[in-house]
Amino acid sequence: MKFIDEYRDAAAAERYAQAIRRITTRPWTIMEVCGGQTHAIVRFGVDELLPREVTLVHGPGCPVCVTPVELIEKALEIAAMPGVVFCSFGDMLRVPGTARDLLSVKALGGDIRIVYSPLDALKIARETPDRQVVFFAVGFETTAPANAMAVYQASRQGVTNFSLLVSHVLVPPAMEAILSGPANLVRGFLAAGHVCAVMGYTEYEPIARKYQVPIVVTGFEPLDILQGVYMTVRQLEEGRAEVENQYTRAVSRAGNRPAQKMIGDVFEVVPRKWRGVGEIPASGLGLKPEYAAFDAEKRFGVAHRIVDESTVCISGSILRGITKPHECPAFGTACTPEHPLGATMVSTEGACAAYYRYRRVQLQDSPRPGLETTR
Ligand code: SF4
């Protein structure tokens, strides 16, 4: 499993699918908590290779999708302020707030720039000291080290016109929230390989024990996912609930300690709202008090905005694995990538976008809810 072709080898995939079929005796619902895995599953039809008893559901694994609408509204408010340069990764620009998105603020004259790293935003701040430069820090544990580094460097370099609008979320508390929900169907998890590359996987061990669910750290290619599903089903069938690592080429149990230290130096664990899910205790990162001067919410006085979620978009139910994207009445009609009603239709990692891109034609040929083709 060294090169991309090997990860996508159809004959090997079929062998894994046969192995899963051989060991499966009962229905199992398994959730992946990573938008990259969701897209690989839908794009390559991994779920269609599995036996009927094994259902894959898509969890809250897309950071853009789980950013609450009130954070988007704060971003829109700050980005429209005179003298502000608002920097973001490109995938946030079309995420809808209550009435507009960052792209429409840009069209009205807002100085909104797409950057590829928070350090690019810090560079802009150094080069334009007369402007306030804000970086929209959205993401899981994967992007937190670079965002922490940007604040750390800004502090050391005395850059006072730089700040972060922070919307960092943490995966393990979201998994616990799903497992504790009354409608929970999930019996096992594929944990996101890139998150574990940073954080390791010791945090998952108490969850596996407490809720008696297998958790398999899994990569992103079709064979990774099939192997992760095989390992999860094998545990379920054997009555085990352990953390196992499929993605050994990138993940160690302890993770990346320097990256963890950088996160811990700059951020602290805080409660965080998840779009469509609500507030989950200790599920996010916020700047530590010693870095409060770099907090855009405080700098621009938008910390206490409260905004209601859309009543049309059911992405909260999708992100908890209760509903599939094509079961939303707005899917492909009122809600499309060109006119999205929710973030899960916008983001390149969103489940609704994946179904729209890879399953739309197939779904048009099957009556709603169409579970025949997507299970
Ligand atoms: S199809 Fe659109 S409205 Fe429906 S859940 Fe997905 S993003 Fe929300």
Side-chain angles (χ1 to χ4, degrees), residues 313-315 318 328 330-331 335 341-342 344-345 352:
C313 178
I314 60 160
S315 60
I318 291 166
C328 172
F331 177 85
C335 182
L341 296 179
T344 43
M345 186 57 97
C352 297

Side-chain angles (χ1 to χ4, degrees), residues 32-42 190-193 217-220 225:
E32 83 277 357
V33 193
C34 168
Q37 291 172 341
T38 303
H39 270 249
I41 288 165
V42 180
L190 306 183
V217 179
T218 302
F220 305 92
I225 294 165

Side-chain angles (χ1 to χ4, degrees), residues 194-234:
H194 53 356
V195 170
C196 296
V198 175
M199 302 305 290
Y201 51 83
T202 54
E203 291 174 290
Y204 298 95
E205 291 165 354
I207 298 174
R209 275 196 300 275
K210 179 175 173 186
Y211 296 94
Q212 284 298 294
V213 287
I215 301 173
V216 176
V217 179
T218 302
F220 305 92
E221 291 294 334
L223 286 197
D224 288 324
I225 294 165
L226 282 163
Q227 191 176 20
V229 171
Y230 174 80
M231 292 166 74
T232 309
V233 172
R234 190 176 57 186

Side-chain angles (χ1 to χ4, degrees), residues 106-292:
K106 185 174 171 63
L108 292 171
D111 191 347
I112 298 172
R113 304 187 194 179
I114 294 174
V115 294
Y116 296 97
S117 159
L119 296 175
D120 293 342
L122 179 58
K123 183 165 177 278
I124 294 169
R126 278 197 304 266
E127 291 170 354
T128 51
D130 56 327
R131 308 279 299 278
Q132 285 291 329
V133 178
V134 182
F135 179 69
F136 201 177
V138 172
F140 287 107
E141 295 91 328
T142 38
T143 51
N147 291 335
M149 175 62 82
V151 170
Y152 177 76
Q153 286 196 3
S155 174
R156 286 181 54 113
Q157 294 166 2
V159 181
T160 56
N161 63 326
F162 176 74
S163 57
L164 291 188
L165 179 59
V166 181
S167 182
H168 269 299
V169 283
L170 302 170
V171 173
M175 288 165 68
E176 286 213 69
I178 287 162
L179 290 167
S180 323
N184 175 50
L185 301 168
V186 177
R187 296 291 173 266
F189 281 101
L190 306 183
H194 53 356
V195 170
C196 296
V198 175
M199 302 305 290
Y201 51 83
T202 54
E203 291 174 290
Y204 298 95
E205 291 165 354
I207 298 174
R209 275 196 300 275
K210 179 175 173 186
Y211 296 94
Q212 284 298 294
V213 287
I215 301 173
V216 176
V217 179
T218 302
F220 305 92
E221 291 294 334
L223 286 197
D224 288 324
I225 294 165
L226 282 163
Q227 191 176 20
V229 171
Y230 174 80
M231 292 166 74
T232 309
V233 172
R234 190 176 57 186
Q235 283 202 51
L236 287 164
E237 291 283 345
E238 293 174 359
R240 292 185 291 121
E242 299 164 13
V243 180
E244 293 182 322
N245 184 12
Q246 180 277 330
Y247 202 37
T248 51
R249 65 185 185 277
V251 173
S252 67
R253 182 168 180 269
N256 183 332
R257 294 227 197 257
Q260 292 166 20
K261 180 168 184 331
M262 180 50 67
I263 295 172
D265 285 349
V266 173
F267 290 118
E268 62 184 2
V269 174
V270 296
R272 191 62 73 205
K273 256 193 186 174
W274 294 57
R275 191 168 187 145
V277 177
E279 184 168 300
I280 304 176
S283 69
L285 296 174
L287 289 163
K288 281 184 157 176
E290 52 266 46
Y291 291 102

